[in-house]
Amino acid sequence: MCMEKIKRNVLLNPGPATTTDTVKYAQVVPDICPREKEFAGMMKRLRTDLLKVAHAPEDRFTSVLFCGSGTINIDICLNSLLPEGRKVLVVNNGAYSSRAVEVCEYYGLPHIDLKSSVYERPDLKEVKKALHDNPDIYMVYTTHHETGTGILNPIREIGALAHEHGAIFVVDTTSSLGMIPFDMVEDNVDFCMASAQKGLQAMTGLSFIVGNIEEICKSKDYPKRSYYCNLYMQYDCFEQTGEMHFTPPVQTIYATMQALKEYFEEGEENKFARHRRVFNAIHKGIEELGLKDVIKHEWQSGLVVSVLYPDHPNWNFEKVHDYCYERGFTIYPGKISTTNTFRLCALGTIDEQDIRDFFAVLKEALHTFNIQLK
Ligand SMILES: *Cc1c(COP(=O)(O)O)cnc(C)c1O
């Protein structure tokens, strides 16, 4: 097969992320029926690799694959893992934990929305108090890296509080897993989740939950709130047959296998270091241009920088976006309702030089539209 180089776009949005050509081409395979043993064998290896990425010991944890975007994991964990008559505590300081609250509302799940400022980390004293005041809480839920702002939440501490209380701890790690050091056991997490197009640098359409086997087995007898999105049903199907209950995203699974190969080749530590380099380059770039970020530095994840719109009459995000987009760089609007921001993210197969190239283009854009800063 002739593998032509594919136009490379630098995606500075918070996923899907820039991928390698080898991952893109891994999708071009002979047609296969996913009910074949060959395909089941590949998914088995994939599930084992995902446990390694999350540092989840095989004797206590499993990974379950789903066909869908990352939000399917949020839906599944919440609707599947709550026993009758018990409550969810959502530690909510941003858009993605708010999404979990919405899921609770849709299913009518008893829940507490422990909402706090999107500009700050949650207050552990409040978490402790909520747990103390509500002995019926069964699940504590939060987001590791709030992609909307770029805040990294103290999951290890929240997990310890949940466990002290006897609750399970479910964490949305969609925009951190495979990019920021994470350890299922040390971080006190019972369930984490992500999708292939973020930290793994693969394609869209495959999402997965890594979770505690004992809790999944217990959930067999919990109220059934969804047919398609039930964790036990999918887990059981994998255990019995090695297959997804319904049609898997075949080509995305091939791409994810290749992406995992590249993940282990690059090495966890090297990959963390690369994302960190990109993040530092973003900070250097915004400082040099006189732009300002909105989240306290020590709280930032190292993956997303929320940048304030410059205070200049000629600033127009759409125009600047389009200028950059036409030149191969994608920037992304913010997700803070009260402040006008845009986001620059360090996901994907990009490095420092890409960021330097981007800032050269951004500078040109500001010049073209007559936006003087500083
Ligand atoms: C991207 C992301 C999701 C999933 O969003 P989809 O649009 O469904 O892929 C969930 N949580 C977080 C924290 C994310 O960054």
Side-chain angles (χ1 to χ4, degrees):
M1 189 173 53
C2 163
M3 306 230 291
E4 256 178 79
K5 206 165 156 42
I6 299 170
K7 177 177 180 267
R8 184 163 180 276
N9 286 327
V10 172
L11 301 186
L12 300 173
N13 50 294
T18 299
T19 58
T20 58
D21 280 2
T22 38
V23 165
K24 292 182 189 81
Y25 277 117
Q27 299 175 100
V28 185
V29 289
D31 294 323
I32 184 170
C33 169
R35 300 295 177 205
E36 289 299 327
K37 279 202 264 330
E38 184 186 340
F39 199 79
M42 190 167 63
M43 283 199 288
K44 189 160 193 277
R45 291 196 298 282
L46 170 56
R47 289 175 64 209
T48 307
D49 279 353
L50 293 175
L51 292 179
K52 287 189 193 128
V53 172
H55 295 281
E58 264 184 67
D59 56 337
R60 284 167 52 207
F61 293 95
T62 186
S63 70
V64 187
L65 312 178
F66 291 91
C67 183
S69 81
T71 306
I72 201 170
N73 295 325
I74 304 178
D75 186 323
I76 291 163
C77 282
L78 288 163
N79 91 59
S80 305
L81 294 169
L82 189 69
E84 185 81 69
R86 304 291 296 271
K87 244 185 225 159
V88 182
L89 172 67
V90 184
V91 180
N92 176 4
N93 63 335
Y96 287 93
S97 288
S98 291
R99 190 173 295 178
V101 170
E102 271 177 37
V103 171
C104 291
E105 285 166 356
Y106 266 63
Y107 284 111
L109 302 176
H111 66 281
I112 299 167
D113 178 7
L114 190 67
K115 207 169 174 160
S116 58
S117 166
V118 302
Y119 300 103
E120 288 174 34
R121 295 176 108 187
D123 183 347
L124 296 172
K125 286 197 293 294
E126 295 290 323
V127 177
K128 200 168 178 162
K129 183 171 183 306
L131 284 165
H132 180 266
D133 294 348
N134 298 276
D136 55 349
I137 290 169
Y138 188 81
M139 180 199 300
V140 177
Y141 180 104
T142 199
T143 306
H144 186 202
H145 168 213
E146 253 303 345
T147 327
T149 51
I151 287 186
L152 193 68
N153 282 324
I155 52 168
R156 188 172 297 189
E157 291 78 1
I158 299 172
L161 291 174
H163 289 168
E164 245 170 61
H165 177 85
I168 62 166
F169 188 37
V170 179
V171 185
D172 177 351
T173 51
T174 313
S175 63
S176 55
L177 195 69
M179 295 181 282
I180 295 177
F182 174 80
D183 183 303
M184 203 79 193
V185 177
E186 280 177 23
D187 285 321
N188 299 317
V189 175
D190 300 295
F191 290 86
C192 73
M193 59 185 85
S195 43
Q197 82 273 16
K198 296 213 178 175
L200 300 181
Q201 304 173 162
M203 298 295 157
T204 57
L206 177 72
S207 292
F208 57 90
I209 294 168
V210 176
N212 182 298
I213 297 170
E214 200 184 321
E215 283 299 324
I216 297 176
C217 291
K218 274 205 277 185
S219 74
K220 179 176 192 274
D221 302 319
Y222 295 172
K224 303 286 177 292
R225 301 170 176 105
S226 169
Y227 175 73
Y228 196 75
C229 296
N230 181 270
L231 183 54
Y232 178 78
M233 194 202 254
Q234 187 85 324
Y235 166 75
D236 190 48
C237 198
F238 268 115
E239 293 303 303
Q240 306 290 336
T241 68
E243 294 176 18
M244 268 194 204
H245 200 180
F246 304 108
T247 309
V250 175
Q251 283 69 23
T252 296
I253 287 175
Y254 280 101
T256 310
M257 289 302 289
Q258 175 63 27
L260 280 163
K261 183 167 170 274
E262 293 174 19
Y263 176 88
F264 292 116
E265 276 167 7
E266 181 175 17
E268 187 179 45
E269 291 301 322
N270 286 340
K271 189 169 185 287
F272 296 153
R274 178 169 58 77
H275 290 303
R276 184 51 68 166
R277 270 201 304 280
V278 170
F279 178 74
N280 290 339
I282 293 172
H283 270 290
K284 187 157 176 275
I286 61 172
E287 264 159 48
E288 281 172 7
L289 282 180
L291 290 162
K292 300 253 176 303
D293 57 348
V294 293
I295 302 296
K296 224 170 156 169
H297 280 210
E298 64 261 38
W299 291 344
Q300 290 186 20
S301 61
L303 293 170
V304 170
V305 185
S306 289
V307 185
L308 271 179
Y309 278 3
D311 184 18
H312 192 284
N314 292 345
W315 170 261
N316 178 316
F317 176 79
E318 284 305 315
K319 279 192 184 163
V320 174
H321 166 275
D322 293 353
Y323 188 96
C324 297
Y325 182 79
E326 283 155 19
R327 288 156 183 81
F329 298 92
T330 302
I331 62 174
Y332 205 66
K335 219 180 181 40
I336 307 175
S337 57
T338 48
T339 315
N340 280 322
T341 55
F342 66 97
R343 282 178 286 175
L344 300 175
C345 308
L347 282 70
T349 56
I350 60 175
D351 213 331
E352 267 172 319
Q353 187 56 46
D354 295 308
I355 302 302
R356 285 195 287 268
D357 294 346
F358 160 68
F359 275 102
V361 168
L362 181 60
K363 202 168 168 180
E364 230 175 68
L366 296 177
H367 184 77
T368 305
F369 299 124
N370 234 324
I371 304 162
Q372 309 87 18
L373 302 177
K374 285 206 177 169

